[in-house]
Amino acid sequence: MSYIQSVIPFVPVLPFFGALFLGLFGKKIYARFGENVTGILGCSMPFISAVLAVTSFIAINGVDVTERIIRIPITDWVSVADLQLQWTFRYDPLSAVMLLVVTIIGTLIHIYGMGYMHGDKSFSRFFAYMNLFLGSMLMLVLGDNIIIMFLGWEGVGLCSYLLIGFWFTEEANAIAGKKAFIVNRIGDLGFLTGILLVAYFSMTLFGTTDLSFTELQSNIDVLAGQTVFGFPLLEVIGICFFIGAMGKSAQIPLYVWLPDAMAGPTPVSALIHAATMVTAGVYMMGRVFFLFTLAPHALGFISLIAALTCFFSATIGMAQYDIKKVLAYSTVSQLGYMFLAMSVGAFSAGVFHLLTHAAFKACLFMASGSVIVALHHKQDMREMGGLLKKMPVTGYSFIAATLAIMGFPLTSGFFSKDEILWKAFIQGSPLLWLVGFVAAGITSFYMWRLVFMTFFGETRADKHTWEHCHEQPKRTVVPIAILAVAALTIGFWNVPHFLGGHGNFTNFLDPVVHDLSSKPMENYHKIQLAKQADHQPEDTHGAAVEHEEHVDHTALEWGLMLASVAWTFFTGFLAYIFYIRYPKAREKIMSRAAAQKVFAVLYNKYFVDEFYEAVVITPLRKLFGFLGAFDQMVIDGMVNFAGFMGRITANLVGIFDDEIVDGAVNGAGWSAQTGGKGASSMQSGRIQTIVASSLIIFIIIVASVVLFLG
Amino acid sequence: MVNTLPYLSFIPAHVLMGFAILFFFLAKAVPFLRRLPASLIFFLVMAGAFWLETMGSGSKAVFFDMIQVDSYSRLYNQIFFIAIAVTILMMVNNDEINEEINWEIYGLLATVCLGMMLMTSATNLLMTVVAIELVSIPSYVLVALNRKLPVSKEASLKYVLFGSFAAGIMVYGMSLIFGLTGTLDFAGLWKGLGAYSSAGTAIYFLAILMTISGMVFKIAAVPFHFWCPDAYQAAPTPITAFLSTAPKVAGLALLMRFFSYHLTIQKADLTLILSILAMATMTIGNLAALRQSDIKRMLAYSSISHAGFLLMGIAVLNATGRGVVFFYIPIYLLMNLGAFMAVIYLSQGDRFDIASYAGMVKKKPLLVVGFTVCLFSLAGLPPFAGFIGKFYLFKVVIEEGLYLLAVVAAVNSVISLFYYIGVIKVMIIDTEDRPSKDVQAGGFPVVFVTACAISIVFFGLYWVPLLNWADKVRLLF
């Protein structure tokens, strides 16, 4: 039993325990000992989990590369017929990275939450939910089979719903929670369909199945030959899984819930709706990358969706005034980048962007939360400005994270985003690169617009607010500063080859996740050819396919990198001109009718919500109205009829009881009384009746058996 | 004369129980012993017997092949000890019974226990009669523990009369079987019946049906269920809880062992007989439960319908079916004991009518929540353990191709929802029309019911330990 095997099961269990404890006793502890004790209790379980995750990470680096996939069986779970599910955790480089992200950022945000939720009367409920979320997320990450992953998947969805509607007394928050829940349900339907397809085909083809990823990977070649309704099975499963990811990771067309989800407390936005839960879709794709490797058409579909999401949500971000809304659309756009990377087969690049994005976006959200609290819960950037003087730590951290997200050279975003753009260019198409490239510039623009409107220039807040505005306490700003440092530095984990690095992160993931070495479609054909030639069966997972021709791309890589750096600098500078230097220029442009129209479209998010309302929700409502009527007329009619029949039968039994049994009793009583023998014989009358009834039923049974069988 | 004493080492728990019976009746007379804590001693006896049964291994026919001790009997006996231990806990925390008569009660319970242990290992019809009567006769007295209440006496007398009636039919059936086959040994009589030239005639079925009537009486299945509501209603609640669980389990164990010796050619007929019994039992139990206004009577009919469900597992007549029945039994125990415990403390004084529970959730929220979990589980809703138990019962029945039985059982499950949820509705949604005085429940019942509820939820989500336990149930041939 190695160290990893003994501690990993505790990582998800501890937060669950914390959630249970706080859920049961949190209110009493809060009333008795106050905020600090409750908060420290809430932070302690995530903290211990983080310590275990970090030490396990160190331990796995000492393990031989070939033995880095560690499966930790806990116990059997469901064993019905061919389905043999087990509770097993899987610790490998991919889940190790996710554990680091989830537990470390989770702990920092818990600490931050102690400051942010100061004075809230539901303080203990907040920490119970947050712990529950961490537990579910860790279960999702560590699950060795799809079902455990799906349990975690649903668990985080539940927590997301609970936390978006955390202040449920305001109707808008409750509605936002419901919206998130329902939209996610649509995605989950896709995911579940995929899971059931996997289960069905595994059971029919291989007899028994435990639905684990290991088993799926070893069977993938057999599954690749299957079709469902004439479509290749893996393509269908791939699309189904991606629909699940669409819901959870907010891709077009299911992204609409994420901006509304900002109704929750800011720590929730930082943890769930930026750093961890929304990236679950990306993680899931990384987990089953071998499936997507054999599903090139699904990857093509994903790259289309990802590019669209990336671009359109970035443009919406330019025209928002709510500080959290800007960050929300930015998150949607960055998730688009991750899926772009996944869809061209650069799985490690996608996961690496997940990691860096978790750091800088969590930092941005937490800093914006700090600003919001300082300004007495104002979120409109038109009422901010000049805050850098008042809140230096928050401000500089925010700027650091902005540098990272725009891709300033040598920050984390620089490495991860350029890797994605490069792979999109070389393994996707130049068109995909162009969309990503333009979106990167827009990102830089709206982020600097946000920075300039919030932290620079003259304040537009009212006098009272401005005077009371001050830097937040340490428990709030220290986590922000830590994440800001991380946002600047963690990029060095994956310095690409052409910059003199070794791609350490890619190598680290290599035991579990193999990047494709060419375009997904070409790669797929190569695999097919290799299969026909019938040599080297391990070629099927892409990485082993040899480079036939090694073209030196260094010049092109440098060129693309310099282009995107110059472009983001330019748009950032544009924001400086429009919002600090010459606001008049901006007003002049905005005064034109065409510009105003464009702005209105962006400000109203392309009217997508209105479109859904008209095209999906209203017809559905009509359908539900119709179904409701149908229900009342037909189904209820049937139910009522069944109930009516049941009542009649029960009444018949009752009549039997009342009239025959009791009647006999009463009759016996009556005859006994008239016979002058006293009432005591009433009882004896009854026992005779029931013995007689028993005998009659017995004879009926004997007769029926004899008639049936005799 | 064969010396039977060496055999005693194979049945240590029976020996212990025999001494316990002696001790408890003696203690009534000896003043010195009477000062000892009776409940504690009996509890320790149960723990000791449980321990002895877990230590045993192997399979052995003892006492002229009258009984067979094997893993099957040992596992069922363990369940009885657990059920009785829980009953003791309930009695200690109940004020329906006068504590002065504890010694007699425990003596009677020990006798019942010995009878049940013999029921699980009997392999001969003679032993069956002895075992069933050993369980029945103390049960009659236990029902009448509240001897000052005329209702109790009446119910007890009815129980006696009805029991004698069932026993009479059973013994008559046995005499028919003896006449047909010339043996009362389980294995021998099925072989004899198989060889009997007119197998499939009226006399053949009559003999079998009459013989099992005594066992059917013990599990309170149709048509020998009429005693059940009256006895349950009149007995003190802990005794009701006990009667609705342990003797029923013993009857099921006996039925299973009796039928396990059947020959393959007899299987179709026997499955049909048992299916008819199962369908009749669950349907009549459920329909009658719908009309009850007294909670104890309602639970009595509910336990009748559960006997019907459990008969499903017996009707398939194979090892899987027996395993599933054993799997369901601990769950059934949890649900039923939890429900009865809640009933004790939800009821005020002697009022057991459901209407008096109105608005109870405000007064005893935790108890009501636990009770609700037990009721939902009895109804077989997921994610509670009752669902998993029923699921496996349906599974074996469908695997065997008994579709009619499965459909009837499914319809019955739906009907049963109605009366279980009716109680929940009264407790949670209805408001009290006139406030009555608040009876404060102590800590123990709440802990007990909550523990039952938590176990039900736990086993509903993670039933592997039970499955492993049930896997050990093996009848040896």
Side-chain angles (χ1 to χ4, degrees):
Chain A
M1 197 83 164
S2 73
Y3 174 77
I4 292 174
Q5 279 167 325
S6 43
V7 300
I8 284 299
F10 289 100
V11 174
V13 167
L14 287 173
F16 274 129
F17 174 74
L20 189 69
F21 184 75
L22 284 175
L24 289 177
F25 310 112
K27 228 173 181 172
K28 280 181 188 156
I29 294 171
Y30 181 70
R32 183 88 179 273
F33 301 106
E35 233 170 68
N36 284 339
V37 174
T38 320
I40 289 168
L41 276 175
C43 296
S44 57
M45 290 299 146
F47 179 74
I48 300 173
S49 285
V51 170
L52 296 180
V54 171
T55 48
S56 301
F57 178 72
I58 294 168
I60 201 174
N61 274 302
V63 177
D64 188 69
V65 176
T66 52
E67 285 163 14
R68 284 195 183 166
I69 296 175
I70 299 163
R71 297 175 75 191
I72 307 154
I74 312 293
T75 171
D76 289 347
W77 187 26
V78 178
S79 55
V80 178
D82 297 338
L83 188 63
Q84 302 289 337
L85 285 184
Q86 286 186 320
W87 272 101
T88 303
F89 291 139
R90 177 190 170 110
Y91 189 72
D92 59 19
L94 182 59
S95 43
V97 170
M98 282 303 280
L99 279 201
L100 289 183
V101 173
V102 175
T103 55
I104 295 179
I105 295 184
T107 309
L108 289 175
I109 292 176
H110 272 74
I111 296 169
Y112 168 84
M114 279 172 70
Y116 190 87
M117 299 305 285
H118 171 71
D120 196 292
K121 61 184 189 317
S122 303
F123 197 79
S124 63
R125 182 162 63 93
F126 175 78
F127 279 99
Y129 286 169
M130 289 289 268
N131 273 342
L132 184 64
F133 167 78
L134 266 194
S136 313
M137 187 71 205
L138 292 169
M139 194 162 85
L140 189 162
V141 170
L142 283 171
D144 180 57
N145 61 50
I146 312 180
I147 300 298
I148 294 182
M149 181 189 241
F150 188 68
L151 280 185
W153 186 275
E154 292 299 310
V156 292
L158 170 72
C159 295
S160 163
Y161 162 74
L162 291 173
L163 283 164
I164 293 170
F166 185 76
W167 291 309
F168 52 79
T169 41
E170 266 179 53
E171 205 187 346
N173 298 349
I175 289 176
K178 273 196 288 187
K179 187 169 174 183
F181 201 73
I182 292 167
V183 173
N184 266 301
R185 241 19 55 209
I186 300 171
D188 290 350
L189 179 66
F191 192 23
L192 198 58
T193 312
I195 293 175
L196 293 177
L197 279 174
V198 171
Y200 174 75
F201 277 92
S202 299
M203 276 195 249
T204 48
L205 292 174
F206 312 114
T208 62
T209 180
D210 60 5
L211 290 181
S212 70
F213 296 113
T214 322
E215 186 200 79
L216 187 58
Q217 186 163 12
S218 59
N219 288 339
I220 202 78
D221 287 335
V222 185
L223 289 174
Q226 302 295 317
T227 55
V228 50
F229 298 125
F231 296 101
L233 175 65
L234 291 187
E235 302 276 8
V236 175
I237 294 176
I239 298 280
C240 285
F241 278 10
F242 180 63
I243 291 173
M246 257 180 200
K248 190 98 348 193
S249 300
Q251 296 296 295
I252 288 175
L254 299 182
Y255 71 97
V256 285
W257 65 273
L258 186 59
D260 287 16
M262 298 302 135
T266 307
V268 173
S269 311
L271 179 61
I272 302 185
H273 304 121
T276 56
M277 183 191 84
V278 290
T279 60
V282 181
Y283 171 76
M284 185 258 284
M285 274 190 74
R287 254 281 155 259
V288 293
F289 80 96
F290 46 85
L291 190 153
F292 284 101
T293 304
L294 296 176
H297 294 98
L299 285 183
F301 173 68
I302 296 171
S303 60
L304 179 70
I305 295 286
L308 285 177
T309 310
C310 179
F311 178 77
F312 280 106
S313 53
T315 53
I316 298 174
M318 286 197 295
Q320 299 301 312
Y321 286 120
D322 184 321
I323 186 167
K324 283 178 78 178
K325 282 269 160 76
V326 176
L327 291 176
Y329 280 105
S330 163
T331 306
V332 176
S333 161
Q334 297 294 316
L335 287 165
Y337 274 115
M338 294 177 213
F339 280 107
L340 189 60
M342 298 315 241
S343 72
V344 297
F347 303 112
S348 70
V351 176
F352 189 58
H353 196 59
L354 188 166
L355 173 71
T356 59
H357 171 258
F360 59 68
K361 190 51 68 63
C363 178
L364 289 173
F365 263 113
M366 287 156 79
S368 74
S370 168
V371 169
I372 290 167
V373 173
L375 295 178
H376 301 285
H377 292 276
K378 288 224 171 61
Q379 304 194 357
D380 195 326
M381 294 193 293
R382 283 168 294 194
E383 295 176 34
M384 297 177 183
L387 285 169
L388 191 63
K389 280 166 273 175
K390 288 265 185 181
M391 312 176 70
V393 184
T394 306
Y396 284 113
S397 301
F398 199 99
I399 291 169
T402 305
L403 288 174
I405 193 175
M406 78 174 269
F408 192 83
L410 304 186
T411 58
S412 61
F414 167 73
F415 292 113
S416 60
K417 192 190 282 178
D418 269 352
E419 171 96 11
I420 291 174
L421 289 177
W422 163 244
K423 291 282 186 181
F425 186 87
I426 199 79
Q427 283 179 205
S429 78
L431 200 64
L432 283 182
W433 171 82
L434 187 67
V435 174
F437 175 77
V438 173
I442 299 173
T443 309
S444 169
F445 178 79
Y446 68 68
M447 284 312 299
W448 284 112
R449 167 178 177 263
L450 175 56
V451 170
F452 292 136
M453 284 182 84
T454 311
F455 291 104
F456 291 92
E458 289 300 309
T459 181
R460 292 175 294 277
D462 60 69
K463 200 163 168 249
H464 173 81
T465 316
W466 177 248
E467 275 163 9
H468 283 80
C469 165
H470 55 82
E471 185 59 290
Q472 292 298 298
K474 282 211 179 62
R475 61 180 67 159
T476 307
V477 294
V478 169
I480 299 177
I482 294 175
L483 279 177
V485 173
L488 289 178
T489 52
I490 50 173
F492 289 102
W493 195 1
N494 202 23
V495 179
H497 293 281
F498 79 101
L499 289 176
H502 302 288
N504 288 335
F505 183 78
T506 312
N507 293 338
F508 179 68
L509 283 189
D510 195 49
V512 276
V513 180
H514 309 300
D515 288 350
L516 301 186
S517 54
S518 53
K519 292 187 182 180
M521 196 59 84
E522 290 170 11
N523 187 63
Y524 180 71
H525 289 311
K526 263 187 230 166
I527 294 168
Q528 297 301 334
L529 284 176
K531 238 188 230 166
Q532 280 164 9
D534 197 32
H535 65 83
Q536 286 185 328
E538 69 269 24
D539 274 8
T540 47
H541 304 315
V545 178
E546 298 118 48
H547 297 257
E548 281 91 355
E549 75 278 35
H550 190 77
V551 189
D552 191 19
H553 287 308
T554 313
L556 189 57
E557 273 191 273
W558 272 99
L560 290 182
M561 186 200 79
L562 290 176
S564 66
V565 169
W567 166 237
T568 47
F569 271 58
F570 170 71
T571 51
F573 185 66
L574 214 58
Y576 172 70
I577 290 189
F578 281 164
Y579 288 91
I580 298 291
R581 200 59 199 262
Y582 302 113
K584 293 247 165 58
R586 172 178 51 120
E587 277 154 24
K588 203 171 156 196
I589 293 174
M590 288 308 292
S591 63
R592 289 189 201 150
Q596 272 176 356
K597 263 182 197 156
V598 170
F599 184 83
V601 168
L602 294 181
Y603 181 72
N604 288 307
K605 311 145 197 169
Y606 295 102
F607 297 101
V608 167
D609 278 335
E610 288 75 5
F611 174 76
Y612 282 176
E613 177 75 36
V615 175
V616 182
I617 298 172
T618 313
L620 270 184
R621 263 204 201 112
K622 280 185 187 148
L623 180 67
F624 292 156
F626 169 73
L627 288 180
F630 181 79
D631 225 36
Q632 261 178 351
M633 310 281 278
V634 182
I635 309 283
D636 281 9
M638 279 158 67
V639 170
N640 286 340
F641 180 72
F644 176 72
M645 290 308 290
R647 222 167 38 227
I648 287 194
T649 327
N651 279 336
L652 281 178
V653 174
I655 289 169
F656 178 75
D657 239 32
D658 288 342
E659 299 302 322
I660 303 185
V661 179
D662 288 2
V665 172
N666 292 339
W670 178 80
S671 61
Q673 270 176 341
T674 47
K677 284 180 190 163
S680 64
S681 59
M682 229 173 105
Q683 276 82 32
S684 67
R686 172 130 198 213
I687 185 70
Q688 282 155 13
T689 325
I690 63 174
V691 167
S693 346
S694 168
L695 200 60
I696 289 168
I697 298 177
F698 182 69
I699 290 167
I700 291 173
I701 289 179
V702 171
S704 61
V705 166
V706 171
L707 282 180
F708 262 121
L709 300 173
Chain B
M1 182 72 203
V2 185
N3 186 4
T4 57
L5 276 180
Y7 290 137
L8 292 180
S9 61
F10 294 108
I11 46 172
H14 297 67
V15 176
L16 178 69
M17 210 48 67
F19 279 117
I21 296 169
L22 213 60
F23 173 76
F24 280 106
F25 287 122
L26 251 179
K28 182 72 183 163
V30 182
F32 160 69
L33 290 175
R34 283 190 71 174
R35 281 198 290 276
L36 294 171
S39 307
L40 184 65
I41 293 173
F42 195 45
F43 200 85
L44 290 177
V45 168
M46 284 301 134
F50 186 88
W51 180 75
L52 286 173
E53 288 290 37
T54 56
M55 297 311 286
S57 65
S59 172
K60 177 85 182 160
V62 288
F63 287 114
F64 312 103
D65 295 349
M66 281 282 182
I67 65 174
Q68 174 97 20
V69 283
D70 49 18
S71 68
Y72 177 82
S73 70
R74 273 191 289 270
L75 282 169
Y76 274 100
N77 291 349
Q78 287 169 23
I79 287 189
F80 302 147
F81 302 140
I82 294 172
I84 292 177
V86 173
T87 310
I88 301 168
L89 284 178
M90 287 169 83
M91 287 180 30
V92 172
N93 287 281
N94 179 20
D95 48 6
E96 283 176 61
I97 306 167
N98 186 353
E99 275 195 23
E100 281 177 18
I101 55 171
N102 265 357
W103 289 102
E104 293 105 309
I105 295 175
Y106 293 147
L108 290 169
L109 274 177
T111 317
V112 174
C113 185
L114 184 61
M116 294 191 299
M117 289 159 77
L118 291 173
M119 278 171 81
T120 57
S121 18
T123 54
N124 189 300
L125 285 178
L126 270 185
M127 195 65 217
T128 309
V129 179
V130 173
I132 289 180
E133 290 308 308
L134 207 50
V135 176
S136 294
I137 293 169
S139 302
Y140 305 148
V141 185
L142 284 173
V143 168
L145 274 185
N146 290 336
R147 47 195 144 187
K148 301 210 176 73
L149 290 178
V151 185
S152 281
K153 281 186 274 190
E154 181 193 326
S156 173
L157 188 65
K158 273 185 201 162
Y159 193 11
V160 172
L161 291 172
F162 204 81
S164 330
F165 164 66
I169 292 186
M170 175 175 68
V171 176
Y172 195 170
M174 287 176 187
S175 72
L176 286 177
I177 283 191
F178 191 76
L180 291 171
T181 66
T183 177
L184 287 175
D185 180 58
F186 286 178
L189 72 89
W190 286 114
K191 259 194 214 106
L193 283 175
Y196 178 62
S197 55
S198 49
T201 56
I203 191 82
Y204 169 81
F205 292 118
L206 195 62
I208 295 173
L209 276 168
M210 286 175 85
T211 304
I212 62 170
S213 62
M215 311 171 198
V216 168
F217 163 73
K218 274 268 108 12
I219 65 170
V222 170
F224 298 97
H225 66 285
F226 286 98
W227 59 275
C228 186
D230 284 340
Y232 283 13
Q233 191 184 16
T237 316
I239 299 297
T240 311
F242 173 73
L243 287 180
S244 74
T245 49
K248 191 168 276 203
V249 174
L252 288 167
L254 178 57
L255 266 178
M256 279 189 281
R257 194 187 280 277
F258 178 66
F259 279 108
S260 69
Y261 290 89
H262 74 277
L263 305 178
T264 320
I265 48 161
Q266 295 159 332
K267 184 171 176 179
D269 295 351
L270 296 181
T271 298
L272 186 75
I273 291 177
L274 287 168
S275 303
I276 289 177
L277 281 183
M279 290 190 285
T281 304
M282 60 179 87
T283 310
I284 291 182
N286 265 329
L287 288 180
L290 279 177
R291 299 177 65 252
Q292 302 308 316
S293 58
D294 181 293
I295 186 83
K296 279 165 88 175
R297 282 184 86 87
M298 191 277 269
L299 285 175
Y301 280 111
S302 133
S303 87
I304 292 174
S305 81
H306 270 86
F309 282 117
L310 283 161
L311 276 172
M312 283 163 70
I314 303 181
V316 298
L317 290 174
N318 59 26
T320 329
R322 287 193 287 271
V324 167
V325 170
F326 186 82
F327 176 80
Y328 195 72
I329 281 168
I331 299 173
Y332 175 70
L333 244 61
L334 278 175
M335 309 187 291
N336 238 24
L337 292 174
F340 275 110
M341 192 71 186
V343 164
I344 295 179
Y345 285 93
L346 286 174
S347 305
Q348 293 156 350
D350 290 335
R351 292 185 63 199
F352 289 104
D353 49 328
I354 295 170
S356 71
Y357 288 5
M360 205 47 105
V361 70
K362 293 219 179 70
K363 278 193 218 158
K364 298 164 185 167
L366 214 52
L367 208 57
V368 167
V369 169
F371 191 32
T372 305
V373 169
C374 292
L375 289 175
F376 272 136
S377 182
L378 280 166
L381 291 185
F384 305 108
F387 167 75
I388 298 300
K390 267 194 188 152
F391 169 78
Y392 276 104
L393 283 171
F394 277 96
K395 177 172 160 274
V396 290
V397 165
I398 289 169
E399 274 173 359
E400 200 68 13
L402 305 173
Y403 297 115
L404 179 65
L405 180 54
V407 168
V408 171
V411 171
N412 269 298
S413 290
V414 177
I415 296 176
S416 74
L417 257 182
F418 182 77
Y419 56 85
Y420 290 125
I421 288 182
V423 178
I424 296 169
K425 174 194 160 260
V426 168
M427 290 191 302
I428 294 178
I429 296 176
D430 289 2
T431 46
E432 212 174 357
D433 40 355
R434 52 194 157 77
S436 52
K437 65 178 189 304
D438 198 6
V439 182
Q440 205 59 48
F444 174 76
V446 177
V447 171
F448 181 90
V449 176
T450 313
C452 283
I454 288 174
S455 324
I456 287 169
V457 175
F458 176 77
F459 286 129
L461 296 173
Y462 183 69
W463 53 92
V464 177
L466 282 184
L467 216 53
N468 290 341
W469 205 27
D471 232 24
K472 288 191 212 151
V473 183
R474 288 276 174 275
L475 278 171
L476 289 174
F477 295 105

